[in-house]
Amino acid sequence: MTSASCRFCGSRLDVVFADLGMSPLANSYVPPERANAMEPFYPLRALVCRECLLVQLEEFESAEAIFSDYAYFSSYSTTWLEHSRRYVEQMIERWGLDGSSQVVELASNDGYLLQYFVERGVPVLGIEPAANVAEVAVEKGVPTLVEFFGVQTAENLAAHRRADLLLGNNVLAHVPDLNDFVGGMKLLLAERGVVTMEFPHLLRLIEDNQYDTIYHEHFSYFSFLTVRQVFAAHAMRLFDVEELDTHGGSLRIYGAHVDDDTKPETDRARELLAREQAAGLGDIETYRAYAGRVQTDKRDTLEFLIGLKRDGRSIVGYGAPAKGNTLLNYCGIGKDFLDYTVDLNPHKQGHLLPGSHVPIRPVEALRETRPDVVVILPWNLRDEIVEQHAYVREWGGRFAARSPELRLLP
Ligand SMILES: [Zn+2]
């Protein structure tokens, strides 16, 4: 039981959706000189609100502590860059954006997306709380404000210019004060403007057992049913939605002011609502039942790895994403299973994974040590990784990934 209250509607939270035990912050990579120091662990437990059915983590640490030195640079993923470039083309065409428009991105990271609007001559502003990441954006020619977005920031900006396109990818789920954030969007959106937000889809999390996408920095887990309520509470309505493959299955929602009658609700928005209802997402019992599937998967994952070790095979990881840290810490997988993991990001190389202390090495380590099995931790980038590292098969190496259970890939 808990005394926490829902970050959207304020109701008391007492139904467990997934209890992943104690875990360090997923992005707190440990520098080698800190290997023997104490590491803070926090409960990693997702609850669901009985009233609005928002799946969420309890608040446990200030957002500043989590995000001020965030090591994630979006531009290290080529798949994600391509996704962003296509998005920019679609938005320019669908909404007729040009040199007289204003695009604002919330959590604009290193300018990975806005750079494509800049290329097309569309004025942009990025808002990004992590100063080290924002600096990279500014160097690329993407104007960026280093701030946490909310009502206060929106008021200041809206006094000068409101946004014709206001976007945020993988930020809504990471916002501690959800009502302040969405309330700010309401203020910053131009009269006929469009909001688009992308976030992992709760329906996919449940259907594909993606509990490893639960981590401390990821506060809220949205269905279309729930996110509609959140926008409605701030006088906006969602008139369209797309289902995307990114991050194991995401939604891209399209919002407008509630009184903007130029944007009728689409068939696919109606269809998705009906499908979520049919999948039981309107029923608290669906959420309650999920908790047991997580425990079953932990046993299956360990059984798989134990089997490989008993056969004498060497196992390493690929990638050092947040989802990998959730999986390793929840299942208790350390150097006893994974000799090391590799990552393209030089900011992570040389560090240890939080909690499990699996060392992060440059990708070249694969060729040097020729492991038997490479477990791909960012399973959402599986195809890209298998293609780029096909040479692993030259020495008989195999790839493994969760899809949804951890198994060897063909
Ligand atoms: Zn609620």
Side-chain angles (χ1 to χ4, degrees):
M1 296 297 270
T2 163
S3 59
S5 53
C6 173
R7 72 179 66 250
F8 169 53
C9 76
S11 301
R12 196 163 64 87
L13 291 172
D14 57 7
V15 180
V16 174
F17 173 72
D19 189 344
L20 302 172
M22 297 292 290
S23 209
L25 297 182
N27 286 304
S28 53
Y29 300 93
V30 179
E33 67 274 14
R34 301 274 307 158
N36 295 334
M38 221 170 29
E39 219 179 330
F41 276 57
Y42 304 90
L44 183 53
R45 188 168 64 151
L47 304 167
V48 58
C49 174
R50 291 170 187 271
E51 294 302 318
C52 69
L53 300 176
L54 176 63
V55 173
Q56 57 199 288
L57 299 188
E58 296 170 69
E59 214 162 318
F60 62 94
E61 179 67 285
S62 76
E64 284 78 8
I66 297 178
F67 292 110
S68 56
D69 193 26
Y70 204 46
Y72 189 80
F73 287 78
S74 296
S75 296
Y76 287 104
S77 163
T78 52
T79 304
W80 187 241
L81 285 176
E82 180 54 23
H83 172 81
S84 303
R85 197 187 55 73
R86 278 201 311 270
Y87 165 86
V88 168
E89 281 171 10
Q90 278 176 41
M91 293 304 112
I92 286 175
E93 176 150 341
R94 184 169 177 186
W95 310 114
L97 302 173
D98 58 25
S100 67
S101 310
Q102 177 70 53
V103 173
V104 177
E105 183 178 16
L106 309 178
S108 49
N109 200 273
D110 58 8
Y112 72 100
L113 184 146
L114 289 179
Q115 63 181 342
Y116 299 115
F117 280 115
V118 171
E119 271 175 27
R120 299 281 301 266
V122 179
V124 302
L125 176 66
I127 302 176
E128 168 56 51
N132 61 333
V133 180
E135 209 172 287
V136 177
V138 172
E139 282 164 19
K140 274 182 201 162
V142 176
T144 305
L145 192 62
V146 179
E147 246 172 79
F148 271 98
F149 181 76
V151 166
Q152 185 65 59
T153 306
E155 271 173 356
N156 296 341
L157 291 172
H160 304 286
R161 180 71 202 259
R162 292 193 290 168
D164 301 297
L165 175 64
L166 179 56
L167 72 119
N169 292 336
N170 301 304
V171 57
L172 197 61
H174 295 256
V175 168
D177 188 343
L178 187 57
N179 286 313
D180 184 58
F181 188 85
V182 179
M185 284 168 35
K186 171 73 183 174
L187 293 174
L188 189 54
L189 186 65
E191 202 176 332
R192 293 277 178 268
V194 174
V195 171
T196 76
M197 294 265 132
E198 292 178 25
F199 47 83
H201 189 190
L202 182 65
L203 181 64
R204 295 258 60 80
L205 187 157
I206 294 175
E207 289 190 338
D208 299 337
N209 206 9
Q210 300 169 351
Y211 64 84
D212 53 347
T213 62
I214 298 173
Y215 50 91
H216 291 112
E217 293 84 340
H218 190 172
F219 297 124
S220 305
Y221 302 79
F222 297 103
S223 64
F224 192 45
L225 283 163
T226 302
V227 78
R228 267 168 53 106
Q229 293 177 58
V230 174
F231 276 77
H234 294 277
M236 289 183 281
R237 63 188 183 82
L238 301 185
F239 60 92
D240 193 11
V241 64
E242 283 176 81
E243 289 173 87
L244 310 170
D245 291 334
T246 47
H247 294 281
S250 295
L251 293 184
R252 177 185 293 155
I253 55 168
Y254 290 80
H257 290 295
V258 76
D259 55 2
D260 177 357
D261 54 12
T262 62
K263 298 174 182 72
E265 186 178 42
T266 62
D267 287 343
R268 58 188 179 186
R270 277 189 290 271
E271 187 275 329
L272 181 58
L273 278 179
R275 189 145 41 88
E276 285 193 350
Q277 288 287 6
L281 292 193
D283 180 1
I284 188 88
E285 291 311 319
T286 304
Y287 300 85
R288 223 192 278 274
Y290 182 68
R293 286 184 59 202
V294 173
Q295 296 174 4
T296 302
D297 188 77
K298 174 175 180 169
R299 292 189 286 269
D300 292 347
T301 297
L302 287 170
E303 209 160 49
F304 171 78
L305 293 174
I306 290 167
L308 291 175
K309 291 308 274 187
R310 285 205 170 126
D311 290 344
R313 298 211 247 171
S314 58
I315 315 173
V316 304
Y318 186 99
K323 60 171 68 69
N325 291 326
T326 293
L327 182 78
L328 301 188
N329 283 304
Y330 172 57
C331 294
I333 299 163
K335 283 176 285 189
D336 41 3
F337 288 108
L338 301 185
D339 297 339
Y340 61 84
T341 191
V342 296
D343 202 275
L344 290 174
N345 184 342
H347 298 270
K348 292 181 182 176
Q349 292 165 5
H351 285 53
L352 307 171
L353 295 181
S356 66
H357 283 206
V358 171
I360 307 169
R361 299 180 57 180
V363 178
E364 293 68 35
L366 296 177
R367 282 187 196 277
E368 288 160 23
T369 69
R370 300 160 74 97
D372 297 319
V373 178
V374 179
V375 176
I376 297 173
L377 297 170
W379 40 256
N380 51 305
L381 304 175
R382 185 180 66 200
D383 294 346
E384 171 181 339
I385 291 165
V386 168
E387 193 185 307
Q388 284 169 356
H389 303 283
Y391 58 84
V392 164
R393 297 203 167 100
E394 288 168 15
W395 59 81
R398 300 280 302 269
F399 288 99
R402 297 190 71 231
S403 70
E405 70 284 351
L406 184 60
R407 61 179 177 82
L408 290 173
L409 301 178

PDB file of all heavy atoms in Angstrom, residues 131-157:
ATOM      1  N   ALA A 131      21.663  20.785 -20.028  1.00  0.00           N
ATOM      2  CA  ALA A 131      22.529  21.806 -20.622  1.00  0.00           C
ATOM      3  C   ALA A 131      23.581  21.199 -21.544  1.00  0.00           C
ATOM      4  O   ALA A 131      23.875  21.750 -22.611  1.00  0.00           O
ATOM      5  CB  ALA A 131      23.199  22.613 -19.520  1.00  0.00           C
ATOM      6  N   ASN A 132      24.159  20.051 -21.159  1.00  0.00           N
ATOM      7  CA  ASN A 132      25.232  19.467 -21.971  1.00  0.00           C
ATOM      8  C   ASN A 132      24.716  19.002 -23.327  1.00  0.00           C
ATOM      9  O   ASN A 132      25.419  19.069 -24.334  1.00  0.00           O
ATOM     10  CB  ASN A 132      25.927  18.319 -21.221  1.00  0.00           C
ATOM     11  CG  ASN A 132      24.995  17.175 -20.871  1.00  0.00           C
ATOM     12  OD1 ASN A 132      23.788  17.357 -20.702  1.00  0.00           O
ATOM     13  ND2 ASN A 132      25.534  15.980 -20.756  1.00  0.00           N
ATOM     14  N   VAL A 133      23.453  18.563 -23.372  1.00  0.00           N
ATOM     15  CA  VAL A 133      22.851  18.103 -24.623  1.00  0.00           C
ATOM     16  C   VAL A 133      22.433  19.305 -25.473  1.00  0.00           C
ATOM     17  O   VAL A 133      22.640  19.330 -26.696  1.00  0.00           O
ATOM     18  CB  VAL A 133      21.641  17.183 -24.311  1.00  0.00           C
ATOM     19  CG1 VAL A 133      21.007  16.686 -25.599  1.00  0.00           C
ATOM     20  CG2 VAL A 133      22.074  15.995 -23.456  1.00  0.00           C
ATOM     21  N   ALA A 134      21.872  20.336 -24.814  1.00  0.00           N
ATOM     22  CA  ALA A 134      21.414  21.537 -25.517  1.00  0.00           C
ATOM     23  C   ALA A 134      22.582  22.236 -26.217  1.00  0.00           C
ATOM     24  O   ALA A 134      22.439  22.779 -27.318  1.00  0.00           O
ATOM     25  CB  ALA A 134      20.748  22.494 -24.532  1.00  0.00           C
ATOM     26  N   GLU A 135      23.744  22.190 -25.584  1.00  0.00           N
ATOM     27  CA  GLU A 135      24.936  22.826 -26.143  1.00  0.00           C
ATOM     28  C   GLU A 135      25.258  22.255 -27.535  1.00  0.00           C
ATOM     29  O   GLU A 135      25.629  22.990 -28.448  1.00  0.00           O
ATOM     30  CB  GLU A 135      26.094  22.506 -25.194  1.00  0.00           C
ATOM     31  CG  GLU A 135      27.195  23.526 -25.129  1.00  0.00           C
ATOM     32  CD  GLU A 135      28.138  23.144 -23.994  1.00  0.00           C
ATOM     33  OE1 GLU A 135      27.777  23.311 -22.801  1.00  0.00           O
ATOM     34  OE2 GLU A 135      29.222  22.638 -24.326  1.00  0.00           O
ATOM     35  N   VAL A 136      25.111  20.958 -27.679  1.00  0.00           N
ATOM     36  CA  VAL A 136      25.376  20.305 -28.961  1.00  0.00           C
ATOM     37  C   VAL A 136      24.394  20.813 -30.014  1.00  0.00           C
ATOM     38  O   VAL A 136      24.756  21.050 -31.170  1.00  0.00           O
ATOM     39  CB  VAL A 136      25.273  18.764 -28.812  1.00  0.00           C
ATOM     40  CG1 VAL A 136      25.474  18.072 -30.150  1.00  0.00           C
ATOM     41  CG2 VAL A 136      26.284  18.261 -27.787  1.00  0.00           C
ATOM     42  N   ALA A 137      23.129  21.025 -29.619  1.00  0.00           N
ATOM     43  CA  ALA A 137      22.099  21.526 -30.543  1.00  0.00           C
ATOM     44  C   ALA A 137      22.469  22.920 -31.042  1.00  0.00           C
ATOM     45  O   ALA A 137      22.395  23.200 -32.238  1.00  0.00           O
ATOM     46  CB  ALA A 137      20.744  21.554 -29.851  1.00  0.00           C
ATOM     47  N   VAL A 138      22.874  23.785 -30.120  1.00  0.00           N
ATOM     48  CA  VAL A 138      23.199  25.165 -30.475  1.00  0.00           C
ATOM     49  C   VAL A 138      24.375  25.184 -31.459  1.00  0.00           C
ATOM     50  O   VAL A 138      24.361  25.918 -32.446  1.00  0.00           O
ATOM     51  CB  VAL A 138      23.497  25.994 -29.204  1.00  0.00           C
ATOM     52  CG1 VAL A 138      24.027  27.373 -29.563  1.00  0.00           C
ATOM     53  CG2 VAL A 138      22.224  26.111 -28.357  1.00  0.00           C
ATOM     54  N   GLU A 139      25.350  24.302 -31.232  1.00  0.00           N
ATOM     55  CA  GLU A 139      26.488  24.205 -32.158  1.00  0.00           C
ATOM     56  C   GLU A 139      26.052  23.822 -33.567  1.00  0.00           C
ATOM     57  O   GLU A 139      26.688  24.177 -34.547  1.00  0.00           O
ATOM     58  CB  GLU A 139      27.511  23.165 -31.648  1.00  0.00           C
ATOM     59  CG  GLU A 139      28.393  23.706 -30.528  1.00  0.00           C
ATOM     60  CD  GLU A 139      29.111  22.594 -29.769  1.00  0.00           C
ATOM     61  OE1 GLU A 139      29.218  21.463 -30.305  1.00  0.00           O
ATOM     62  OE2 GLU A 139      29.553  22.855 -28.633  1.00  0.00           O
ATOM     63  N   LYS A 140      24.934  23.076 -33.656  1.00  0.00           N
ATOM     64  CA  LYS A 140      24.389  22.665 -34.961  1.00  0.00           C
ATOM     65  C   LYS A 140      23.542  23.753 -35.601  1.00  0.00           C
ATOM     66  O   LYS A 140      22.947  23.522 -36.650  1.00  0.00           O
ATOM     67  CB  LYS A 140      23.441  21.476 -34.752  1.00  0.00           C
ATOM     68  CG  LYS A 140      24.069  20.135 -34.735  1.00  0.00           C
ATOM     69  CD  LYS A 140      22.959  19.092 -34.574  1.00  0.00           C
ATOM     70  CE  LYS A 140      23.544  17.808 -34.047  1.00  0.00           C
ATOM     71  NZ  LYS A 140      22.531  16.923 -33.487  1.00  0.00           N
ATOM     72  N   GLY A 141      23.343  24.873 -34.920  1.00  0.00           N
ATOM     73  CA  GLY A 141      22.502  25.938 -35.476  1.00  0.00           C
ATOM     74  C   GLY A 141      21.034  25.808 -35.118  1.00  0.00           C
ATOM     75  O   GLY A 141      20.174  26.353 -35.800  1.00  0.00           O
ATOM     76  N   VAL A 142      20.726  25.064 -34.048  1.00  0.00           N
ATOM     77  CA  VAL A 142      19.343  24.922 -33.584  1.00  0.00           C
ATOM     78  C   VAL A 142      19.169  25.752 -32.304  1.00  0.00           C
ATOM     79  O   VAL A 142      19.683  25.368 -31.250  1.00  0.00           O
ATOM     80  CB  VAL A 142      19.007  23.433 -33.295  1.00  0.00           C
ATOM     81  CG1 VAL A 142      17.609  23.299 -32.712  1.00  0.00           C
ATOM     82  CG2 VAL A 142      19.140  22.598 -34.563  1.00  0.00           C
ATOM     83  N   PRO A 143      18.470  26.916 -32.387  1.00  0.00           N
ATOM     84  CA  PRO A 143      18.295  27.731 -31.184  1.00  0.00           C
ATOM     85  C   PRO A 143      17.600  26.938 -30.084  1.00  0.00           C
ATOM     86  O   PRO A 143      16.577  26.293 -30.328  1.00  0.00           O
ATOM     87  CB  PRO A 143      17.422  28.907 -31.647  1.00  0.00           C
ATOM     88  CG  PRO A 143      16.994  28.618 -33.036  1.00  0.00           C
ATOM     89  CD  PRO A 143      17.778  27.469 -33.559  1.00  0.00           C
ATOM     90  N   THR A 144      18.176  26.944 -28.885  1.00  0.00           N
ATOM     91  CA  THR A 144      17.690  26.075 -27.812  1.00  0.00           C
ATOM     92  C   THR A 144      17.709  26.812 -26.473  1.00  0.00           C
ATOM     93  O   THR A 144      18.704  27.442 -26.116  1.00  0.00           O
ATOM     94  CB  THR A 144      18.580  24.810 -27.720  1.00  0.00           C
ATOM     95  OG1 THR A 144      18.620  24.179 -28.999  1.00  0.00           O
ATOM     96  CG2 THR A 144      18.043  23.824 -26.699  1.00  0.00           C
ATOM     97  N   LEU A 145      16.595  26.720 -25.783  1.00  0.00           N
ATOM     98  CA  LEU A 145      16.440  27.326 -24.470  1.00  0.00           C
ATOM     99  C   LEU A 145      16.650  26.224 -23.429  1.00  0.00           C
ATOM    100  O   LEU A 145      15.998  25.179 -23.502  1.00  0.00           O
ATOM    101  CB  LEU A 145      15.003  27.863 -24.399  1.00  0.00           C
ATOM    102  CG  LEU A 145      14.558  28.787 -23.305  1.00  0.00           C
ATOM    103  CD1 LEU A 145      15.349  30.086 -23.360  1.00  0.00           C
ATOM    104  CD2 LEU A 145      13.059  29.080 -23.477  1.00  0.00           C
ATOM    105  N   VAL A 146      17.564  26.444 -22.472  1.00  0.00           N
ATOM    106  CA  VAL A 146      17.822  25.413 -21.461  1.00  0.00           C
ATOM    107  C   VAL A 146      16.862  25.612 -20.295  1.00  0.00           C
ATOM    108  O   VAL A 146      17.102  26.442 -19.415  1.00  0.00           O
ATOM    109  CB  VAL A 146      19.284  25.458 -20.977  1.00  0.00           C
ATOM    110  CG1 VAL A 146      19.530  24.386 -19.908  1.00  0.00           C
ATOM    111  CG2 VAL A 146      20.239  25.262 -22.143  1.00  0.00           C
ATOM    112  N   GLU A 147      15.741  24.885 -20.316  1.00  0.00           N
ATOM    113  CA  GLU A 147      14.722  25.045 -19.285  1.00  0.00           C
ATOM    114  C   GLU A 147      13.834  23.812 -19.202  1.00  0.00           C
ATOM    115  O   GLU A 147      13.682  23.088 -20.183  1.00  0.00           O
ATOM    116  CB  GLU A 147      13.822  26.242 -19.637  1.00  0.00           C
ATOM    117  CG  GLU A 147      13.941  27.403 -18.649  1.00  0.00           C
ATOM    118  CD  GLU A 147      13.184  28.632 -19.127  1.00  0.00           C
ATOM    119  OE1 GLU A 147      11.953  28.649 -18.975  1.00  0.00           O
ATOM    120  OE2 GLU A 147      13.828  29.555 -19.653  1.00  0.00           O
ATOM    121  N   PHE A 148      13.206  23.618 -18.033  1.00  0.00           N
ATOM    122  CA  PHE A 148      12.123  22.649 -17.913  1.00  0.00           C
ATOM    123  C   PHE A 148      10.870  23.343 -18.418  1.00  0.00           C
ATOM    124  O   PHE A 148      10.593  24.479 -18.029  1.00  0.00           O
ATOM    125  CB  PHE A 148      11.913  22.233 -16.455  1.00  0.00           C
ATOM    126  CG  PHE A 148      12.757  21.064 -16.053  1.00  0.00           C
ATOM    127  CD1 PHE A 148      13.960  21.270 -15.381  1.00  0.00           C
ATOM    128  CD2 PHE A 148      12.373  19.768 -16.348  1.00  0.00           C
ATOM    129  CE1 PHE A 148      14.763  20.194 -15.025  1.00  0.00           C
ATOM    130  CE2 PHE A 148      13.159  18.695 -15.990  1.00  0.00           C
ATOM    131  CZ  PHE A 148      14.356  18.909 -15.323  1.00  0.00           C
ATOM    132  N   PHE A 149      10.113  22.681 -19.271  1.00  0.00           N
ATOM    133  CA  PHE A 149       8.915  23.311 -19.825  1.00  0.00           C
ATOM    134  C   PHE A 149       7.731  23.158 -18.870  1.00  0.00           C
ATOM    135  O   PHE A 149       7.544  22.117 -18.244  1.00  0.00           O
ATOM    136  CB  PHE A 149       8.567  22.682 -21.175  1.00  0.00           C
ATOM    137  CG  PHE A 149       7.366  23.308 -21.811  1.00  0.00           C
ATOM    138  CD1 PHE A 149       7.453  24.547 -22.419  1.00  0.00           C
ATOM    139  CD2 PHE A 149       6.127  22.662 -21.772  1.00  0.00           C
ATOM    140  CE1 PHE A 149       6.337  25.143 -22.990  1.00  0.00           C
ATOM    141  CE2 PHE A 149       5.010  23.250 -22.349  1.00  0.00           C
ATOM    142  CZ  PHE A 149       5.117  24.495 -22.952  1.00  0.00           C
ATOM    143  N   GLY A 150       6.922  24.220 -18.791  1.00  0.00           N
ATOM    144  CA  GLY A 150       5.689  24.192 -18.011  1.00  0.00           C
ATOM    145  C   GLY A 150       4.957  25.494 -18.246  1.00  0.00           C
ATOM    146  O   GLY A 150       5.320  26.269 -19.139  1.00  0.00           O
ATOM    147  N   VAL A 151       3.941  25.764 -17.437  1.00  0.00           N
ATOM    148  CA  VAL A 151       3.100  26.955 -17.600  1.00  0.00           C
ATOM    149  C   VAL A 151       3.945  28.231 -17.578  1.00  0.00           C
ATOM    150  O   VAL A 151       3.754  29.131 -18.406  1.00  0.00           O
ATOM    151  CB  VAL A 151       2.002  26.981 -16.504  1.00  0.00           C
ATOM    152  CG1 VAL A 151       1.348  28.351 -16.425  1.00  0.00           C
ATOM    153  CG2 VAL A 151       0.967  25.899 -16.785  1.00  0.00           C
ATOM    154  N   GLN A 152       4.914  28.309 -16.664  1.00  0.00           N
ATOM    155  CA  GLN A 152       5.737  29.514 -16.541  1.00  0.00           C
ATOM    156  C   GLN A 152       6.506  29.825 -17.828  1.00  0.00           C
ATOM    157  O   GLN A 152       6.439  30.937 -18.362  1.00  0.00           O
ATOM    158  CB  GLN A 152       6.712  29.332 -15.359  1.00  0.00           C
ATOM    159  CG  GLN A 152       7.535  30.559 -15.050  1.00  0.00           C
ATOM    160  CD  GLN A 152       6.660  31.715 -14.557  1.00  0.00           C
ATOM    161  OE1 GLN A 152       5.962  31.588 -13.559  1.00  0.00           O
ATOM    162  NE2 GLN A 152       6.681  32.828 -15.289  1.00  0.00           N
ATOM    163  N   THR A 153       7.229  28.833 -18.342  1.00  0.00           N
ATOM    164  CA  THR A 153       7.991  29.014 -19.584  1.00  0.00           C
ATOM    165  C   THR A 153       7.049  29.348 -20.737  1.00  0.00           C
ATOM    166  O   THR A 153       7.347  30.212 -21.566  1.00  0.00           O
ATOM    167  CB  THR A 153       8.754  27.716 -19.926  1.00  0.00           C
ATOM    168  OG1 THR A 153       9.541  27.359 -18.792  1.00  0.00           O
ATOM    169  CG2 THR A 153       9.654  27.881 -21.124  1.00  0.00           C
ATOM    170  N   ALA A 154       5.904  28.678 -20.802  1.00  0.00           N
ATOM    171  CA  ALA A 154       4.944  28.893 -21.900  1.00  0.00           C
ATOM    172  C   ALA A 154       4.424  30.321 -21.888  1.00  0.00           C
ATOM    173  O   ALA A 154       4.294  30.956 -22.938  1.00  0.00           O
ATOM    174  CB  ALA A 154       3.789  27.904 -21.776  1.00  0.00           C
ATOM    175  N   GLU A 155       4.136  30.847 -20.714  1.00  0.00           N
ATOM    176  CA  GLU A 155       3.636  32.229 -20.610  1.00  0.00           C
ATOM    177  C   GLU A 155       4.654  33.210 -21.163  1.00  0.00           C
ATOM    178  O   GLU A 155       4.313  34.114 -21.922  1.00  0.00           O
ATOM    179  CB  GLU A 155       3.325  32.576 -19.142  1.00  0.00           C
ATOM    180  CG  GLU A 155       1.903  32.213 -18.755  1.00  0.00           C
ATOM    181  CD  GLU A 155       1.632  32.391 -17.266  1.00  0.00           C
ATOM    182  OE1 GLU A 155       2.564  32.735 -16.502  1.00  0.00           O
ATOM    183  OE2 GLU A 155       0.473  32.158 -16.873  1.00  0.00           O
ATOM    184  N   ASN A 156       5.913  33.018 -20.784  1.00  0.00           N
ATOM    185  CA  ASN A 156       6.972  33.909 -21.265  1.00  0.00           C
ATOM    186  C   ASN A 156       7.097  33.857 -22.787  1.00  0.00           C
ATOM    187  O   ASN A 156       7.214  34.890 -23.445  1.00  0.00           O
ATOM    188  CB  ASN A 156       8.324  33.535 -20.646  1.00  0.00           C
ATOM    189  CG  ASN A 156       8.330  33.738 -19.141  1.00  0.00           C
ATOM    190  OD1 ASN A 156       7.491  34.472 -18.598  1.00  0.00           O
ATOM    191  ND2 ASN A 156       9.246  33.081 -18.453  1.00  0.00           N
ATOM    192  N   LEU A 157       7.070  32.638 -23.335  1.00  0.00           N
ATOM    193  CA  LEU A 157       7.248  32.484 -24.781  1.00  0.00           C
ATOM    194  C   LEU A 157       6.024  32.971 -25.548  1.00  0.00           C
ATOM    195  O   LEU A 157       6.152  33.626 -26.584  1.00  0.00           O
ATOM    196  CB  LEU A 157       7.512  31.012 -25.119  1.00  0.00           C
ATOM    197  CG  LEU A 157       8.843  30.438 -24.662  1.00  0.00           C
ATOM    198  CD1 LEU A 157       8.866  28.932 -24.895  1.00  0.00           C
ATOM    199  CD2 LEU A 157       9.993  31.107 -25.412  1.00  0.00           C
TER     200      LEU A 157
END
